[in-house]
Amino acid sequence: MNKGLIFDIQRFSLNDGPGIRTTVFFKGCGLRCRWCHNPESIASYVQLSYDPERCDGCEKCIEFVHGNGIQLIENKAVVDFSIHDRNLDLIEVCPRKAFGRYGDVIDVEKLVFELLKDKDYYATSNGGVTFSGGEALNQWAFIEECARRLKAEGIHLTLDVSGNDPGELIASTTELIDLYLVDYKLSEDELYEKYLGRKYDPLAMLKKLNEANKPVVLRCVLIPGINDSDLHFNGIATIMDQFKNIVQVDLLPYHKLRKRQQFHLVNEREFYDTPDEAMKLLWINKVKDLGILNVTMENQRK
């Protein structure tokens, strides 16, 4: 597969694996996490975005669609994304550039060229390239082509995945990927469908990576009142005992990241309480009491 769908390339990333990295964010995800920090990554197609702060009420977009799905309220265009989710023609219509897009189709040659621009930074910092998402695993055929070319250049490769692998693709990645960042979201099976939109076995992927002896960083987003229970912390400890290839646990406290741009939301989104410093300290102490020593909080060693 020579084409991939991405929504961002983030250079000089320090939190997606060792050293200085360039992270490629792929669009499309099979989960519907209610707390998703990148909801624009979920849909597996290019989406229209709209920044109302750029709108000056000129009404050119309304004229273009003949009033169908866009109206002017308090001198700002209000867009019905159930109608215009894929109407990318609006991008060129607006003189104020209020419309944009989430997602770009890119070929292997162009992406590899972009990633190799930072090769010197990878070499001096023991860094490399991270494939993230959305769910990067969904576009593995494309990533595999890129990965083979990058490995030929001696680039360290990390794959950041949700833990959901319905296509059982993870085993086919182990020849090329050096490090895995794997989400562990919930320990209670009955909560999966409610908060993630799908039930799956979070251990299935970890078992495959353990069999292949591939190093894993376990990433745990913690949300007060949702998954910060003793049961969940015990679940993390059990996983650490079971899989010796897990080299680190990253605790990632929930935060409310509100996007300025408007777009069609695919998931049922909710906002939760953000943890204060006292709660974060409590979480750290809990995992340490369970014997988990190699742990970071917000990417800082604790």
Side-chain angles (χ1 to χ4, degrees):
M1 182 183 295
N2 197 45
K3 301 285 186 181
L5 180 61
I6 67 173
F7 73 94
D8 196 14
I9 298 176
Q10 180 177 299
R11 301 185 186 277
F12 300 99
S13 175
L14 301 175
N15 300 321
D16 295 324
I20 296 173
R21 311 191 70 80
T22 300
T23 301
V24 184
F25 292 91
F26 286 83
K27 206 169 184 317
C29 182
L31 299 183
R32 297 294 182 267
C33 303
R34 293 193 177 190
W35 53 76
C36 182
H37 287 159
N38 293 313
E40 72 276 19
S41 73
I42 299 176
S44 57
Y45 55 86
V46 180
Q47 292 178 281
L48 181 75
S49 69
Y50 167 61
D51 183 355
E53 292 188 17
R54 288 179 171 267
C55 177
D56 66 358
C58 73
E59 300 191 45
K60 290 188 180 296
C61 59
I62 296 174
E63 294 170 6
F64 180 75
V65 300
H66 307 291
N68 180 26
I70 304 180
Q71 57 183 316
L72 196 68
I73 298 178
E74 296 182 354
N75 206 41
K76 296 286 185 182
V78 176
V79 182
D80 183 346
F81 284 97
S82 67
I83 297 173
H84 295 294
D85 183 26
R86 306 192 194 202
N87 190 358
L88 303 180
D89 290 337
L90 284 165
I91 296 172
E92 300 303 321
V93 169
C94 179
R96 298 278 297 173
K97 305 299 181 185
F99 291 101
R101 57 191 288 150
Y102 282 126
D104 286 290
V105 176
I106 192 169
D107 61 32
V108 171
E109 290 74 17
K110 183 176 180 180
L111 182 56
V112 170
F113 176 78
E114 288 297 320
L115 296 175
L116 288 178
K117 287 180 180 179
D118 299 326
K119 185 178 180 181
D120 289 345
Y121 294 105
Y122 310 150
T124 57
S125 69
N126 293 318
V129 170
T130 298
F131 302 112
S132 187
E135 177 54 77
L137 198 57
N138 291 344
Q139 297 188 56
W140 173 247
F142 172 78
I143 293 173
E144 183 177 17
E145 290 190 43
C146 297
R148 292 194 182 281
R149 301 189 191 197
L150 293 170
K151 293 306 290 184
E153 299 287 337
I155 307 299
H156 180 279
L157 301 179
T158 294
L159 187 63
D160 184 1
V161 290
S162 68
N164 177 43
D165 184 18
E168 299 184 351
L169 296 172
I170 198 68
S172 63
T173 71
T174 56
E175 174 192 352
L176 295 167
I177 300 300
D178 300 296
L179 174 69
Y180 292 81
L181 312 180
V182 181
D183 290 352
Y184 180 58
K185 300 174 185 290
L186 296 167
S187 296
E188 299 173 72
D189 289 346
E190 62 270 21
L191 298 182
Y192 270 65
E193 201 156 304
K194 177 180 179 180
Y195 289 110
L196 309 182
R198 173 173 293 180
K199 288 186 177 180
Y200 63 93
D201 179 4
L203 302 186
M205 180 181 291
L206 293 172
K207 288 175 182 176
K208 293 289 186 182
L209 296 176
N210 187 54
E211 290 168 3
N213 197 30
K214 303 300 292 191
V216 168
V217 174
L218 197 69
R219 286 189 149 181
C220 307
V221 174
L222 294 177
I223 304 157
I226 303 297
N227 67 349
D228 63 337
S229 64
D230 288 342
L231 189 151
H232 189 54
F233 286 115
N234 287 330
I236 295 171
T238 299
I239 286 174
M240 292 294 291
D241 289 339
Q242 185 174 354
F243 302 108
K244 300 306 181 184
N245 61 319
I246 298 178
V247 297
Q248 181 175 304
V249 172
D250 287 349
L251 302 182
L252 305 173
Y254 171 78
H255 61 86
K256 294 177 182 177
L257 180 61
R258 295 180 184 268
K259 308 286 184 176
R260 184 175 68 180
Q261 283 83 1
Q262 299 174 5
F263 59 98
H264 175 62
L265 280 171
V266 176
N267 63 327
E268 293 184 45
R269 202 161 188 221
E270 292 182 349
F271 292 98
Y272 307 94
D273 293 334
T274 54
D276 57 20
E277 294 304 314
M279 184 170 288
K280 294 176 187 178
L281 180 59
L282 176 66
W283 292 343
I284 284 291
N285 289 334
K286 280 189 175 185
V287 297
K288 286 187 174 180
D289 288 345
L290 289 167
I292 302 172
L293 301 180
N294 196 8
V295 58
T296 69
M297 170 73 76
E298 298 176 310
N299 299 299
Q300 298 296 317
R301 185 76 56 195
K302 297 296 180 181

